[in-house]
């Protein structure tokens, strides 16, 4: 019983990290059809900033990481994506790979490839113990952060002028521009938001793992991308639930598969992903932009 | 067609003529380093390369090798196996008599294959895969590593005999081949000593996929009779040790050379009850005074301690090759190889080293055990495995 309960908590724990990562990927996809692989480097650079600010009062270090990553996201948008905004999605995707490699190898150049240990929020890594069940504080923080950011973004998209403009741009970019929406501003704000999300992921991830390494954000971005696809491209809620679903499936398979099959766990995870896409090609939740209009 | 032939001739003449013109003076002999000077593998080649250069300095200070001064040439593999062959061709073209390649089978083999094809000795500093030798590359390929199967057996014997542990949980990182081999050989040897019930349970993660190991931690926690956790983690290992300790699992943990060094300890401040098998202590307290002298010299030359003891393998590559050259009284590859293959418990910096025509990796060599207590490393002695299973290529 305890094993089952603990596994359920673990599933939520891993799912919540994936969900938060997916939110950043899903946001940019929803607005500008861009699958931004450089999102993983936004996270990684956030972790390096936290590593560099070891010893500084934590809220200040966190604020520093958020500022750096948001500015980085804006710079990347201005220099890499704005010049090719009207190109087709494949060009955008390839550009995001290029940006991702550029940032990754810049980190290797500056810090070397060897992982560097860091210790932020050490108390957050420890669990609450209720009976014989562990509830890691970091998971409560991650789930909390996901819920707060999702609600905040949902409110922002529905209630503020720029949010409404973003949704309009997501549905029909050209029409939105014809109606007087300033594309540069809308897209810059979207990038800033994805930078903010990446920085939050960086803080929670660094607290959990205590390691800065040039490729540490890669897996999160990949899962985030898969989550966005199965959640329904263009839907923020879908991205979050997609991330949660990938995490839950991963943990359940890890807990239930016999040892000799556990090594092939990823294969089973992706069988489930493929099954979801076969049964619901549009994803679990369909984004507004994906609906056909007559 | 004729044009192409001419082109090929011109290019090949240029290729073969240039090195002769540039080098091969009578009073020097060249050692080549086609290793990763940049990219993801660079940190793992850096220490062995620096240590090898230190060994070259020492030999030159004592009058050189067979009266010749050793000079070194380097070429960057850029951490790309494909570039490894180019880098090897480059240093061999500059007259290298011997090459030292990357500390890994996958990244080091392409360069070694080029050396093999040109009949030159190729030493990997610390590729722990037995395939790095006559079977996988050719009779000119050697590695200075202690085979991972020997490390696993050594850790099993250390846990059983020295620490008195009877129940082990095995946690494996499937991302790296070295880890799998380490954990498998631990499991095999520990089960021989403590019986099959000695292995309480096994679980694995993949550092390439798993950022959190919550389910693995739950499995460890579901057992209350674990004496020790065999942890076969590598590069990002610190992150998993942090998660394990944060979950309140304070049982002793054992690890192989891949967890050597203190660069990751910041992730788990005040770590205790953690044991690492390594080539030697870089913390100045190795049971072997030669190792401590090496660490001091390394610090003098480079201004910092070696990051891990893997650097010692690079030093011993030069030691071994120079010794074989002296015995052969020649730089000729066939003569040097014949002497290397006769090595039997040669006292090198990394420990007693033996080779045979078939086996170009060491299994019987002792390793230093380090204990981490309150975030500080302490050498607790030198141990070797009594029984190591046969090498499978």
């Amino acid at each position: 019983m305890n094993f089952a309960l603990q596994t359920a908590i673990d599933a939520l724990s891993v799912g919540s990290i994936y969900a938060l990562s997916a939110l950043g990927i899903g946001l940019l996809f929803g607005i500008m059809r861009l699958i931004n692989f450089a999102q993983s480097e936004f996270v990684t650079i956030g972790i390096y900033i936290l590593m560099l600010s070891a010893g500084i009062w934590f809220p200040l270090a966190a604020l520093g990481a958020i500022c750096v990553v948001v500015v980085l996201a804006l710079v990347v948008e201005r220099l890499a994506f704005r010049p090719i905004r009207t190109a087709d999605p494949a060009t955008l995707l390839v550009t995001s790979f290029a940006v991702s490699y550029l940032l990754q190898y810049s980190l290797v150049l500056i810090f070397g490839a060897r992982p560097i240990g860091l210790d932020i929020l050490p108390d957050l890594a420890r669990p609450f113990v209720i009976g014989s069940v562990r509830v890691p504080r970091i998971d409560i923080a991650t789930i909390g952060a996901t819920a707060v950011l999702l609600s905040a973004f949902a409110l922002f998209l529905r209630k503020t002028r720029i949010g409404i403009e973003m949704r309009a741009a997501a549905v029909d970019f050209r029409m939105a521009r014809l109606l007087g929406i300033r594309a540069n501003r809308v897209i810059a704000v979207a990038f800033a938001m994805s930078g903010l999300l990446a920085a939050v992921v960086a803080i929670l991830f660094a607290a959990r793992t205590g390691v800065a390494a040039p490729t540490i954000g890669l897996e999160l971005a990949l899962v985030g991308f898969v989550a966005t696809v199965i959640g329904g491209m263009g839907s923020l809620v879908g991205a979050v639930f997609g991330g949660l679903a990938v995490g839950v499936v991963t943990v359940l398979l890890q807990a239930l598969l016999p040892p000799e099959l556990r090594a092939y766990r990823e294969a089973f995870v992706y069988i489930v992903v493929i099954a979801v896409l076969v049964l619901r090609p549009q994803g679990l939740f369909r984004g507004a932009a994906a609906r056909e209009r007559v | 067609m004729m044009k192409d032939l001419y082109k090929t001739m011109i290019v090949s003449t240029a290729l073969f003529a240039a090195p002769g013109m540039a080098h091969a003076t009578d009073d020097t002999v060249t050692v080549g380093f086609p290793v990763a000077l940049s990219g993801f593998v660079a940190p793992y080649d850096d220490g062995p390369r620096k240590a090898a250069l230190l060994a070259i300095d020492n030999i030159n200070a004592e009058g050189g090798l067979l009266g010749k001064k050793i000079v070194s040439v380097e070429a960057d593999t850029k951490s790309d196996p494909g570039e490894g062959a180019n880098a090897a061709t480059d240093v061999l073209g500059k007259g290298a008599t011997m090459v030292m390649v990357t500390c890994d089978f996958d990244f080091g083999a392409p360069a070694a294959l080029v050396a093999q094809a040109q009949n030159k000795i190729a030493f990997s500093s610390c590729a722990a895969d037995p395939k790095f030798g006559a079977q996988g590359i050719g009779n000119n390929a050697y590695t200075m590593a202690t085979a991972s199967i020997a490390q696993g057996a050594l850790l099993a014997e250390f846990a059983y005999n020295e620490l008195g542990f009877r129940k082990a949980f095995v946690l494996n990182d499937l991302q790296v081949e070295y880890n799998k081999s380490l954990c498998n050989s631990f499991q095999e040897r520990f089960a021989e000593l403590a019986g099959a019930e000695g292995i309480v349970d096994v679980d694995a993660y993949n550092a390439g996929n798993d950022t959190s190991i919550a389910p693995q931690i739950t499995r460890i926690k579901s057992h209350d009779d674990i004496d020790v956790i065999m942890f076969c983690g590598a590069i990002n290992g610190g992150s998993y040790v942090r998660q394990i300790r944060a979950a309140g699992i304070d049982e002793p943990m054992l690890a192989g050379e891949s967890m050597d060094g203190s660069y990751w300890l910041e992730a788990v401040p005040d770590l205790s009850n953690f044991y690492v098998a390594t080539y030697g202590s870089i913390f100045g307290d190795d049971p072997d005074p030669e190792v401590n002298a090496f660490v001091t010299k390394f610090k003098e030359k480079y201004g910092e301690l070696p990051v891990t003891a893997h650097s010692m393998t690079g030093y011993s590559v030069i030691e071994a090759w120079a010794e074989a050259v002296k015995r052969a009284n020649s730089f000729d590859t066939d003569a040097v190889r014949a002497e290397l293959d006769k090595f039997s418990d040669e006292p090198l910096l990394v420990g007693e080293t033996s080779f045979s025509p078939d086996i170009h990796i060491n299994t019987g060599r002792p390793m230093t055990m380090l204990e981490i207590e309150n975030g500080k490393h302490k050498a607790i002695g030198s141990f070797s495995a009594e029984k190591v299973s046969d090498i499978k290529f």
Side-chain angles (χ1 to χ4, degrees):
Chain A
M1 180 55 208
N2 275 342
F3 186 76
L5 192 59
Q6 187 68 60
T7 301
I9 293 170
D10 294 345
L12 280 179
S13 144
V14 175
S16 63
I17 320 169
Y18 290 172
L20 198 53
S21 313
L23 197 53
I25 306 259
L27 182 74
L28 278 187
F29 183 84
I31 290 162
M32 61 177 291
R33 293 291 167 273
L34 165 68
I35 296 160
N36 183 19
F37 270 90
Q39 183 80 12
S40 60
E41 277 64 41
F42 293 174
V43 174
T44 312
I45 288 171
I47 296 176
Y48 274 92
I49 299 298
L50 291 167
M51 186 268 292
L52 289 177
S53 30
I56 297 175
W57 186 50
F58 175 73
L60 207 61
L63 192 66
I66 290 172
C67 290
V68 170
V69 178
V70 167
V71 169
L72 175 75
L74 289 172
V75 169
V76 164
E77 191 275 323
R78 182 68 191 85
L79 298 181
F81 292 111
R82 193 177 291 184
I84 55 155
R85 187 175 293 155
T86 50
D88 62 50
T91 311
L92 291 173
L93 181 67
V94 171
T95 305
S96 86
F97 270 119
V99 173
S100 165
Y101 275 112
L102 175 72
L103 294 176
Q104 200 184 103
Y105 278 89
S106 305
L107 286 174
V108 174
L109 205 63
I110 300 168
F111 298 101
R114 200 187 283 279
I116 304 168
L118 75 155
D119 186 31
I120 62 159
L121 300 175
D123 292 329
L124 214 52
R126 289 188 195 103
F128 289 116
V129 181
I130 306 159
S132 58
V133 175
R134 278 173 302 117
V135 186
R137 292 159 211 239
I138 182 80
D139 295 340
I140 298 170
T142 314
I143 295 168
T146 311
V148 168
L149 287 167
L150 178 66
S151 324
F153 282 2
L155 273 179
F156 176 80
L157 289 175
R158 278 175 181 73
K159 301 287 179 204
T160 65
R161 183 189 162 87
I162 182 117
I164 293 165
E165 286 178 359
M166 266 186 194
R167 285 164 57 215
V171 174
D172 189 333
F173 194 66
R174 198 158 156 223
M175 179 57 104
R177 290 187 83 170
L178 288 173
L179 291 174
I181 287 174
R182 278 183 288 169
N184 286 349
R185 197 172 71 141
V186 165
I187 288 179
V189 171
F191 264 89
M193 283 163 75
S194 81
L196 172 68
L197 278 170
V200 173
V201 173
I203 293 165
L204 291 167
F205 198 58
R208 183 184 298 268
T209 63
V211 166
T215 54
I216 200 142
L218 274 187
E219 168 62 11
L220 288 178
L222 189 65
V223 173
F225 169 61
V226 172
T228 312
V229 174
I230 62 168
M233 302 195 87
S235 158
L236 284 187
V237 176
V240 166
F241 277 92
L244 209 54
V246 175
V248 168
V249 171
T250 304
V251 170
L252 290 182
L253 286 169
Q254 183 71 30
L256 301 176
L257 282 177
E260 56 274 17
L261 284 181
R262 258 177 248 154
Y264 309 102
R265 190 200 66 209
E266 284 318 272
F268 292 97
V269 172
Y270 284 95
I271 287 173
V272 175
V273 169
I274 291 167
V276 168
L277 291 180
V278 168
L279 295 173
R280 271 188 78 85
Q282 72 276 40
L284 297 170
F285 296 78
R286 199 153 56 142
R291 261 175 237 134
E292 293 266 339
R293 284 181 189 74
V294 184
Chain B
M1 176 70 198
M2 260 331 250
K3 230 178 171 180
D4 284 349
L5 193 64
Y6 279 128
K7 248 193 228 160
T8 317
M9 278 170 67
I10 292 165
V11 171
S12 44
T13 316
L15 273 176
F16 286 106
M21 288 186 274
H23 284 273
T25 51
D26 284 344
D27 52 356
T28 65
V29 59
T30 307
V31 172
F33 293 91
V35 291
L37 302 172
S38 63
F40 281 91
V41 187
Y44 309 98
D45 272 349
D46 185 62
R49 182 182 57 90
K50 284 179 172 164
L53 295 175
L54 185 64
I56 290 175
D57 286 354
N58 290 350
I59 293 171
N60 286 340
E62 287 167 13
L65 190 57
L66 302 186
K68 289 179 193 255
K69 184 171 174 272
I70 306 176
V71 293
S72 63
V73 288
E74 295 173 353
D76 189 3
T77 66
K78 306 186 178 89
S79 301
D80 175 354
E83 286 287 325
N86 296 341
T89 308
D90 183 19
V91 295
L92 289 165
K94 289 175 180 156
T97 309
M98 185 278 269
V99 294
M100 185 179 104
V101 305
T102 293
C103 169
D104 177 77
F105 183 87
D106 294 340
F107 288 91
L113 282 164
V114 172
Q116 175 70 32
Q118 299 193 20
N119 198 30
K120 298 283 189 242
I121 300 283
F123 253 108
S124 168
S125 46
C126 39
D129 187 331
K131 283 198 291 295
F132 204 104
Q135 290 77 5
I137 294 168
N139 58 354
N140 293 326
Y142 293 81
T143 173
M144 205 32 89
T146 302
S148 43
I149 53 164
Q151 296 184 30
L154 186 153
L155 283 164
E157 290 181 12
F158 176 77
Y160 188 88
N161 297 331
E162 303 295 326
L163 303 176
F165 295 145
R166 296 294 177 262
K167 299 276 182 190
F169 185 101
V170 177
L171 183 60
N172 202 347
D173 170 4
L174 301 172
Q175 191 189 24
V176 184
E177 204 57 43
Y178 162 85
N179 297 332
K180 286 191 245 175
S181 166
L182 181 73
C183 258
N184 289 344
S185 56
F186 173 89
Q187 223 172 304
E188 194 178 308
R189 185 71 184 119
F190 199 79
E192 278 176 14
L193 295 165
E197 67 280 5
I199 304 292
V200 177
D201 205 346
V202 295
D203 207 349
Y205 63 91
N206 185 322
N209 298 328
D210 294 315
T211 44
S212 159
I213 53 164
Q216 290 83 347
I217 286 173
T218 297
R219 198 180 303 280
I220 299 175
K221 282 236 151 192
S222 71
H223 298 283
D224 49 14
D225 56 346
I226 297 171
D227 291 333
V228 62
I229 298 164
M230 174 67 193
F231 175 68
C232 300
I235 305 163
N236 282 349
S239 125
Y240 304 103
V241 178
R242 177 182 172 94
Q243 295 179 48
I244 289 170
R245 287 296 191 239
I249 300 170
D250 295 322
E251 273 77 17
M253 294 175 75
L254 295 167
E257 53 164 311
S258 53
M259 294 301 291
D260 188 22
S262 58
Y263 63 92
W264 55 274
L265 273 186
E266 189 58 36
V268 211
D270 298 325
L271 177 66
S272 285
N273 241 348
F274 197 97
Y275 299 88
V276 186
T278 178
Y279 292 103
S281 169
I282 51 163
F283 304 95
D285 61 346
D286 197 86
D288 181 355
E290 298 269 337
V291 174
N292 299 330
F294 160 77
V295 171
T296 311
K297 275 190 209 153
F298 191 100
K299 186 153 190 236
E300 273 167 21
K301 183 168 162 90
Y302 298 108
E304 58 189 12
L305 290 172
V307 180
T308 68
H310 292 97
S311 51
M312 290 165 58
T313 60
Y315 191 93
S316 288
V317 163
I318 301 298
E319 270 186 304
W321 173 74
E323 186 57 36
V325 166
K326 269 190 241 164
R327 288 181 194 172
N329 198 26
S330 157
F331 293 101
D332 176 65
T333 299
D334 294 335
V336 172
R337 186 194 325 110
E339 288 302 328
L340 281 171
D341 286 344
K342 283 188 228 160
F343 268 30
S344 171
D345 291 338
E346 289 304 321
L348 304 180
L349 183 71
V350 282
E352 289 155 351
T353 301
S354 308
F355 294 120
S356 74
D358 290 330
I359 298 185
H360 287 183
I361 188 166
N362 274 266
T363 56
R365 188 193 268 167
M367 296 189 88
T368 299
M369 286 301 308
L370 300 174
E371 181 182 8
I372 304 176
E373 204 62 57
N374 297 321
K376 292 269 175 294
H377 285 77
K378 190 177 78 186
I380 48 177
S382 175
F383 300 89
S384 57
E386 278 168 30
K387 189 180 161 213
V388 179
S389 56
D390 289 337
I391 291 179
K392 293 181 200 85
F393 294 104

